[in-house]
Structures are given as structure tokens and as C-alpha cells.
Amino acid sequence: MARKSNEETKKKGLGRGLGKGLEALFEESPQVQENEEVHNLSLDEIRPNPYQPRKTFDQKSLKELAESIKENGVFQPIIVRKSVNGYEIIAGERRYRASGLAKKETIPAIIRDFDEAQMMEVAVLENLQREDLTPLEEAQAYETLQKNLGLTQEEVSKRLGKSRPYIANYLRLLTLPQKTKRLLQHGELSMGQARTLLGLKNKDEIDSLAKKVVKEGITVRQLESLVNRMNEKDSLQPKQKKIKKSAFIKASETQLAGKFGTSVNITENKKGKGHLAIDFSSTEELNRILDLLGINLDK
């Protein structure tokens, strides 16, 4: 009974601030409304919701659903809206994808009239209710609502039935560097580990520390202690004043990066002495750069 109560509470929270049209999408068995009918639409006419926050779908569960559809068909119609060229999915993208895997040509669908704002909200809400999103996808969904609907964090939290700190914590994940984001997206890092990494003062160390966390299986509590020690060590080190790069140095970096096809960094001290660094990611790339410089180590 407790589980059922929690699910009901979750639905009520997610439905807060929504109109009846949106709430109807999250009923266990949405009924065909008055003057509506179920259409058998061609899969070729249907496109996914352009605001779908979920980037990856579990292929194993899709194949299982496809096998069920082969045997029994699609019991619950998907919800679509008419677009300029065919239809766009409002709810039911898993059924649509599985039907394609099952080699079905048509799918039962209910056509409803939704605007852009409702499409965005439904895309987020449907996935949140089913807990299908990774932490990063959830964060990107909140950012989409903010940017495209012009909402504040407070307004997003009210519309989705979440607390403002909850929304803020997810949005902070978007400030992680790309390599760490990939680890989070693929489930190698947990939400707790990612949030702890954000507490690192030296942001340049996040990627290397994230890699260490995954490799050594460091827990959130262990990571908190490690981040605190690294922050204390960083605060004790004298901070070096950055020397602003001249327009000539910046232009030189750009020209060299274009020539070598990789990142180039030039640093210069107050005495006019400098350092030139050319990045490469493999032995093959190093050999390519050496060829461009006219250096042949075989001779």
C-alpha cells in the first residue's frame, strides 16, 4: 500500500499547475475524450516530440516491448498533435519506437491540440513520472523549460511540483566539464558524486578527479573528504597572478591552431620569455604535427 501511496503522491506533485488536458496524459488508462477517436496512423507520418529530453532509450526493454507488440499489438494509443508535415508525438514515444522494431506500419493514436509550451511540459513530465531520465537529461529538461518558456527556477519548481533547491541542484550539473558530463550520462558517476565534484574550487581538476572516482570506486563520503583536502591544499598555495594575453599572442594561437588542427597555448612572462604548447591526443597525431613542421625522426 505504501508504494501505491508514493506513486499517487508523485503524480499529484507532477500534475501541480497543469491544465486538465495535461493531467489526462498521466492517468493509468487515459480515456478517449468526447468527440475524439482513435486513428491508425502510419509510422512514417509520425515524428518524436522535438522537446524530448531523453536522449537514450534502453534497447533491451524496447526489444521486449516490440516482441509484445508483435504478439498482442498496441493496447494503449499514443497521443499526437497535427504538425505542418504529419504528426508529432505528445506521449508514447517508447510504443512508437517499439512498433518500428516490430515492423508495424501503423499505430493507434489520439490526435490532440497542443501548443509549443504544452509540448515542452509534457515531454519533461512524462519522463519524470516514469523516471526514465538520467540526471543530466533531467537537468537539460529544466533548462529547456527555463529558456524556451522564459521561466525562473521558482516558476519551474511550481509547475513541476518540485522544490526550488531540487531544480537548482540539477541545473548546477550543466556546469560540469564535458568529460565528467559523459561519465554522468553513462551512469558511471552518480548524482551524489557529480554534486560533490562541483564543490571542488579548482574546476580544472574536476575531470581528472571524476576519472579517479570511477576507476577506484570512490564513494560519495570518501569523495567529500578528498574534495575538502584538495580545497584546503589549494587555498594554502600562493595564487599566481594571470598575465593577460596580448592581441598578438591570441592571434598567433589562432593561426597555429588552424595550421596544426589542434589546440595551441602560448604563455609569456613579464620578462618576455614564453612557452609554446601544442596538444596532441595520440602518436599518430604527433607524427602528423611533426610532418607539418618538416621533422622526420626516421632519418
Side-chain angles (χ1 to χ4, degrees), residues 221-266:
R221 183 164 293 184
Q222 291 170 332
L223 181 57
E224 287 172 350
S225 298
L226 183 55
V227 167
N228 288 335
R229 290 198 302 272
M230 291 175 69
N231 285 343
E232 288 173 6
K233 182 180 178 182
D234 188 60
S235 63
L236 293 174
Q237 292 178 348
K239 293 184 178 179
Q240 295 180 342
K241 188 176 180 181
K242 287 186 177 181
I243 299 175
K244 189 175 181 181
K245 292 184 179 180
S246 66
F248 172 74
I249 293 294
K250 289 180 179 179
S252 299
E253 285 180 335
T254 301
Q255 291 283 340
L256 289 170
K259 178 177 178 62
F260 297 124
T262 186
S263 298
V264 174
N265 183 47
I266 301 174

Side-chain angles (χ1 to χ4, degrees), residues 154-201:
E154 185 69 29
E155 288 169 333
V156 171
S157 71
K158 286 180 179 178
R159 288 177 90 141
L160 301 182
K162 303 283 186 181
S163 70
R164 195 201 64 77
Y166 178 96
I167 300 295
N169 282 331
Y170 272 87
L171 288 172
R172 287 183 66 219
L173 297 177
L174 299 177
T175 65
L176 288 166
Q178 288 302 320
K179 289 181 181 178
T180 301
K181 281 183 180 178
R182 283 196 289 271
L183 294 175
L184 179 60
Q185 176 67 14
H186 295 149
E188 296 177 74
L189 277 180
S190 69
M191 171 71 170
Q193 290 168 327
R195 284 181 58 189
T196 304
L197 286 167
L198 285 167
L200 201 59
K201 289 181 180 178

Side-chain angles (χ1 to χ4, degrees), residues 77-140:
I78 65 172
I79 313 294
V80 301
R81 74 164 181 175
K82 191 77 175 71
S83 65
V84 177
N85 185 19
Y87 302 89
E88 290 177 340
I89 297 172
I90 297 171
E93 186 168 340
R94 283 188 74 252
R95 275 163 282 158
Y96 162 75
R97 287 175 175 262
S99 294
L101 289 176
K103 307 298 183 183
K104 295 289 184 180
E105 294 183 358
T106 63
I107 189 170
I110 297 170
I111 304 169
R112 290 187 181 162
D113 187 20
F114 273 65
D115 59 27
E116 296 296 312
Q118 289 173 316
M119 288 286 284
M120 289 180 213
E121 286 190 76
V122 167
V124 176
L125 287 166
E126 184 193 16
N127 285 287
L128 286 179
Q129 189 210 20
R130 291 163 175 77
E131 299 181 338
D132 283 338
L133 300 180
T134 67
L136 195 58
E137 288 171 345
E138 188 169 339
Q140 290 167 337

